[in-house]
Amino acid sequence: MGWTPRYRHVSQLHPGPGGTLSGWNDCWEACLARYLRERDPAVCKGDDWALIAAISQVARGRPDAPDNPDTTLVDASRSLAAYGVAATWTAGYQDALQAPWAICLVDGPVLSPAQYPADWFGRSAPGGNHFILWLPFWEGSADWFDDPLCFANGQHDCQYDLGSVAAAFQGAYLLPSTGNGEISPAPLQVAARCGLKVQPNHTCVALTQLAAGARVVALSGATGAWQQVRTVAGITGWVPRNRLRAVGV
């Protein structure tokens, strides 16, 4: 049946006076809080802020506060161990794409379509400056994220162009399945050069040409002799099934 959310979006944006919002440097803590709620909604008594504060305490060794220091990878690893999460660090984008869950270190302003102003990052140097939680394959797509800086209509998960995620990607913690039907997009290899088509037919426009040996990900769309796929650059289209093979075959 596949995965459906057990919990809602978790944001790092604390409401303040007059409707103002403040991030409190809680992107790691909010990502881990969402994953822990998906694994067990009763992981912590209290609301999401209580869980974020508890994670902050074990990660950074201090209560949650507006002047939080950055959460380092050492801090992140400490909090994962404290909650019994058997995570693995990877520098590989494809590893994160195939994992049931991943907390990704990214260059926030590179993500597209933008969900918030780039100046929220101030003078942050390009590189790893933000954490987002890559959600499981859902509704036929692998591009769903809990970005803790999102806060529209209260709270919401978002979809990012995977090409922009690949460009922003600086590494990720791969997290285990929660046992809630998560599936990974199936990795495939292009057996012979072919066009990536807008529609499942030979007469429509090709979005791009796929070289033999290129890696793609199978999506849920399939009809007749055609398979819907997504490229590493995040382009979605249709390829004849006879031009695809399993990786390693």
Side-chain angles (χ1 to χ4, degrees), residues 70-116:
D70 291 339
T71 303
T72 67
L73 293 181
V74 172
D75 296 335
S77 295
R78 186 183 301 116
S79 62
L80 289 165
Y83 285 94
V85 180
T88 302
W89 174 261
T90 183
Y93 168 79
Q94 284 290 337
D95 293 338
L97 174 63
Q98 293 300 319
W101 299 84
I103 299 180
C104 303
L105 179 63
V106 297
D107 186 350
V110 175
L111 298 171
S112 176
Q115 304 291 317
Y116 38 79

Side-chain angles (χ1 to χ4, degrees), residues 2-206:
W3 177 79
T4 55
R6 284 178 174 151
Y7 202 68
R8 62 180 181 271
H9 177 83
V10 175
S11 174
Q12 73 184 89
L13 297 177
H14 294 247
T20 59
L21 297 171
S22 176
W24 286 31
N25 248 359
D26 277 334
C27 55
W28 168 264
E29 290 71 20
C31 287
L32 182 53
R34 170 67 183 276
Y35 174 76
L36 293 174
R37 293 288 197 202
E38 292 281 351
R39 190 176 71 168
D40 176 11
V43 63
C44 175
K45 292 182 179 178
D47 60 12
D48 292 340
W49 301 122
L51 180 52
I52 286 172
I55 296 170
S56 175
Q57 186 67 59
V58 296
R60 297 182 286 222
R62 55 174 284 175
D64 196 33
D67 61 345
N68 286 324
D70 291 339
T71 303
T72 67
L73 293 181
V74 172
D75 296 335
S77 295
R78 186 183 301 116
S79 62
L80 289 165
Y83 285 94
V85 180
T88 302
W89 174 261
T90 183
Y93 168 79
Q94 284 290 337
D95 293 338
L97 174 63
Q98 293 300 319
W101 299 84
I103 299 180
C104 303
L105 179 63
V106 297
D107 186 350
V110 175
L111 298 171
S112 176
Q115 304 291 317
Y116 38 79
D119 62 13
W120 280 15
F121 289 91
R123 297 182 179 179
S124 295
N129 51 34
H130 187 44
F131 287 103
I132 58 175
L133 176 64
W134 203 333
L135 301 175
F137 189 74
W138 185 41
E139 295 186 341
S141 182
D143 57 5
W144 286 96
F145 295 84
D146 184 322
D147 185 332
L149 282 177
C150 289
F151 198 97
N153 298 319
Q155 296 174 333
H156 76 141
D157 294 325
C158 65
Q159 291 176 279
Y160 282 127
D161 177 86
L162 291 186
S164 77
V165 177
F169 188 81
Q170 305 292 311
Y173 282 100
L174 310 182
L175 311 179
S177 168
T178 65
N180 185 29
E182 297 101 324
I183 58 173
S184 295
L188 296 171
Q189 193 170 47
V190 177
R193 178 180 171 84
C194 63
L196 181 70
K197 295 288 192 170
V198 175
Q199 299 294 332
N201 61 63
H202 290 289
T203 58
C204 69
V205 173

